[in-house]
């Protein structure tokens, strides 16, 4: 036997050379076995866990690009028949993954697409039978109208989320209460907003380690303070807002680009509410100019434009020129 043939035979014997059609053969064998989709189902569940860790210093568009292959696999797997228990688990994973896509689209400012993905996520959550997952999806969905000028719609969605979450102290229940507080504050119902703030605080104090994990599916202390910062900022209660901003910044990692920018915009808005328009514009301009290009849009832009609308005179002109790129 010559050397090339010998090495080829040895490779086949040890498995180091790929056999044509071997992957297809495995899939064909799996079709004949019960639980044949176990590998793909496990992978998708792990993908949900992996993606829900957040941006980790990456811009939204980069995170979304990394999810593309998993979304294609999810679409394929959903088209296959599954036993009832596997289908329910798959529906829950689907709700989670599509909900994460909706969050990213929200942050990018694509409101219409975000609404569509959240609607898909809610359908999947209902099919799964997991009310806490449904509550999480609805609470996250409420942040789209909340952050883009429709507080009444946000309050309605957050209210539905609170009903689904029930009385158990979960991340979804805490989020729903916090988003309710922000929506009610934006709608001008400050008494109800303060009650929701108290509810959010009470729930957050009773979350276990898993529920308070620093992921998009958890409700960590840092994000708790971010939500309350916005609620108090919208109510014009600046001393309480400043306290929440400081608490959140103390818990924020340096790579939390978007979170830090949003907190700074809250601080600038509070400065404006306290009568210092120049300092408010200075802070907002500084934040915007330091912000990487990939973050100059979507949620941060929406917050900056809201402040611009509230300013007047030279301060308004200066911030407007910076936002316009002049």
């Amino acid at each position: 036997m010559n050397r090339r043939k010998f090495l080829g035979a040895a490779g086949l014997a040890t498995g180091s050379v790929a056999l044509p059609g071997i992957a297809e053969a495995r899939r064909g064998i799996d079709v004949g076995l019960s639980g044949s989709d176990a590998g793909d189902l496990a992978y998708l569940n792990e993908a949900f866990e992996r993606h829900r860790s957040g941006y980790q210093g990456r811009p939204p568009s980069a995170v979304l690009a990394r999810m593309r292959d998993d979304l294609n696999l999810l679409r394929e797997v959903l088209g296959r028949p599954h036993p009832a228990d596997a289908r329910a688990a798959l529906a829950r994973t689907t709700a989670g993954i599509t909900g994460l896509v909706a969050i990213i689209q929200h942050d990018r400012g694509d409101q219409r697409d975000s609404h569509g993905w959240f609607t898909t996520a809610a359908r999947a959550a209902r099919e799964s039978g997991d009310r806490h997952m449904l509550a999480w999806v609805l609470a996250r969905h409420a942040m789209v109208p909340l952050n883009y000028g429709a507080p009444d719609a946000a309050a309605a969605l957050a209210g539905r989320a609170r009903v689904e979450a029930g009385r158990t102290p979960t991340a979804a229940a805490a989020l729903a209460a916090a988003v309710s507080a922000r929506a009610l504050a934006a709608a001008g119902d400050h008494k109800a907003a303060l009650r929701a703030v108290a509810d959010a605080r009470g729930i957050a104090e009773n979350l276990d380690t898993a529920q308070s994990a620093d992921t998009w599916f958890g409700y960590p202390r840092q994000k708790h303070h971010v939500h309350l910062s916005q609620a108090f900022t919208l109510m014009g209660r600046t001393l309480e807002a400043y306290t929440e901003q400081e608490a959140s910044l103390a818990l924020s990692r340096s790579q939390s680009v978007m979170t830090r920018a949003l907190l700074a915009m809250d601080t600038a808005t509070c400065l404006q509410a306290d009568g210092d328009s120049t300092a408010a514009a200075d802070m907002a301009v500084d934040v915007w100019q330091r912000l990487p290009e990939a973050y100059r849009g979507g949620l941060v832009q929406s917050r900056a434009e809201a402040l611009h609308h509230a300013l007047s005179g030279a301060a308004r002109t200066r911030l407007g020129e910076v936002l316009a790129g002049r």
Side-chain angles (χ1 to χ4, degrees), residues 1-294:
M1 178 180 291
N2 65 37
R3 180 176 175 82
R4 181 175 296 177
K5 289 182 178 179
F6 174 77
L7 289 175
L12 292 177
T14 60
S16 62
V17 176
L19 289 172
I22 190 72
E24 289 80 359
R26 180 188 63 77
R27 284 193 288 270
I29 293 168
D30 278 342
V31 169
L33 298 172
S34 59
S36 60
D37 289 309
D40 284 341
L41 295 175
Y43 171 81
L44 288 169
N45 189 52
E46 291 163 10
F48 172 40
E49 182 177 355
R50 182 171 63 252
H51 293 310
R52 71 189 186 189
S53 61
Y55 290 121
Q56 301 293 313
R58 299 166 296 176
S61 57
V63 176
L64 193 60
R66 290 172 64 94
M67 297 181 71
R68 186 174 293 115
D69 288 344
D70 293 338
L71 290 170
N72 287 332
L73 175 62
L74 179 59
R75 179 180 61 183
E76 178 189 338
V77 173
L78 280 167
R80 306 173 194 165
H82 303 280
D85 56 345
R87 178 71 189 189
L90 177 59
R92 184 183 186 280
T93 299
T94 300
I97 292 177
T98 55
L100 297 181
V101 175
I103 290 171
I104 297 170
Q105 292 296 70
H106 159 267
D107 292 350
R108 293 180 67 243
D110 194 336
Q111 300 172 52
R112 183 176 180 179
D113 202 47
S114 181
H115 275 297
W117 282 101
F118 273 125
T119 300
T120 297
R123 286 181 60 193
R126 289 189 182 92
E127 181 178 327
S128 76
D130 188 332
R131 292 186 63 180
H132 294 302
M133 174 61 81
L134 179 56
W136 175 80
V137 170
L138 292 172
R140 283 286 185 176
H141 192 175
M143 292 171 68
V144 182
L146 170 61
N147 286 315
Y148 294 103
D152 290 338
L157 274 169
R160 287 168 54 196
R162 298 195 70 179
V163 171
E164 293 294 341
R167 297 178 178 275
T168 305
T170 62
L175 177 67
V179 175
S180 287
R182 291 173 56 186
L184 292 164
D189 191 347
H190 293 184
K191 287 185 178 180
L194 288 172
R195 289 195 296 270
V197 165
D199 290 342
R201 284 174 166 165
I203 297 168
E205 290 297 330
N206 289 286
L207 296 180
D208 60 25
T209 301
Q211 293 294 320
S212 60
D214 189 7
T215 70
W216 272 327
F217 199 62
Y219 190 80
R221 297 297 300 180
Q222 182 257 355
K223 291 180 182 176
H224 173 65
H225 294 302
V226 170
H227 286 296
L228 297 196
S229 164
Q230 247 295 279
F232 285 125
T233 297
L234 290 167
M235 286 187 277
R237 300 173 71 104
T238 58
L239 290 179
E240 291 152 300
Y242 290 138
T243 298
E244 297 296 341
Q245 290 153 24
E246 290 174 5
S248 184
L249 284 171
L251 297 171
S252 297
R253 293 168 292 184
S254 59
Q255 63 184 6
S256 300
V257 177
M258 186 178 296
T259 297
R260 287 176 172 270
L262 292 172
L263 285 168
M265 288 297 178
D266 276 359
T267 300
T269 301
C270 288
L271 289 170
Q272 187 275 332
D274 287 339
D276 197 340
S277 302
T278 301
D282 286 345
M283 172 165 275
V285 167
D286 182 65
V287 170
W288 189 260
Q289 291 180 332
R290 291 174 180 269
L291 202 62
E293 188 65 31

